[in-house]
Amino acid sequence: MVGNWSSSYPASSGFYITVTKETTTTNTKTLTITNENSGIIGSITLNGSAITSGASYSIEVGSQVTLVANLNDGYEFSYWFRSSDRVIVSYDSTYSFTMPDSDLGLIARG
């Protein structure tokens, strides 16, 4: 645990990343990324590749995942936090984790 979430930002600003179990393959999860405010955070990079907002990606449980929030000019990155318990997991725009076997929600805030 890195810290607690601050409510000073509107709930709609940031990238929302959700991880849910696929129904067809028990050892794979679906990672879905949605950009709720492209004016601040321009894009997200997944394991070194640019991704599309609203797209879903299948990732094997236990795999290493690295997300990078790329901000538009004039903005600074704030933090990544888990939406389930509002705990800040990183203050760095790059966040790495092992793909869990449970649902996970992450939000990038600029």
Side-chain angles (χ1 to χ4, degrees):
M1 180 186 315
V2 175
N4 292 320
W5 175 70
S6 167
S7 61
S8 62
Y9 290 94
S12 63
S13 72
F15 264 94
Y16 291 73
I17 290 92
T18 56
V19 176
T20 53
K21 192 164 197 145
E22 289 186 1
T23 56
T24 57
T25 307
T26 58
N27 201 32
T28 304
K29 299 290 234 164
T30 300
L31 186 136
T32 304
I33 291 123
T34 306
N35 187 0
E36 297 292 333
N37 189 343
S38 60
I40 296 174
I41 300 175
S43 65
I44 294 283
T45 303
L46 170 64
N47 293 339
S49 298
I51 58 168
T52 304
S53 178
S56 295
Y57 303 87
S58 294
I59 300 174
E60 188 172 331
V61 171
S63 297
Q64 186 69 14
V65 176
T66 300
L67 298 169
V68 179
N70 305 297
L71 277 68
N72 291 324
D73 289 342
Y75 292 95
E76 292 184 22
F77 184 78
S78 295
Y79 49 77
W80 288 95
F81 77 94
R82 284 191 311 253
S83 59
S84 60
D85 56 5
R86 296 184 173 185
V87 170
I88 294 171
V89 294
S90 177
Y91 289 102
D92 190 69
S93 62
T94 300
Y95 179 60
S96 295
F97 62 96
T98 301
M99 193 65 155
D101 192 26
S102 59
D103 291 349
L104 170 69
L106 293 171
I107 298 177
R109 286 284 168 86

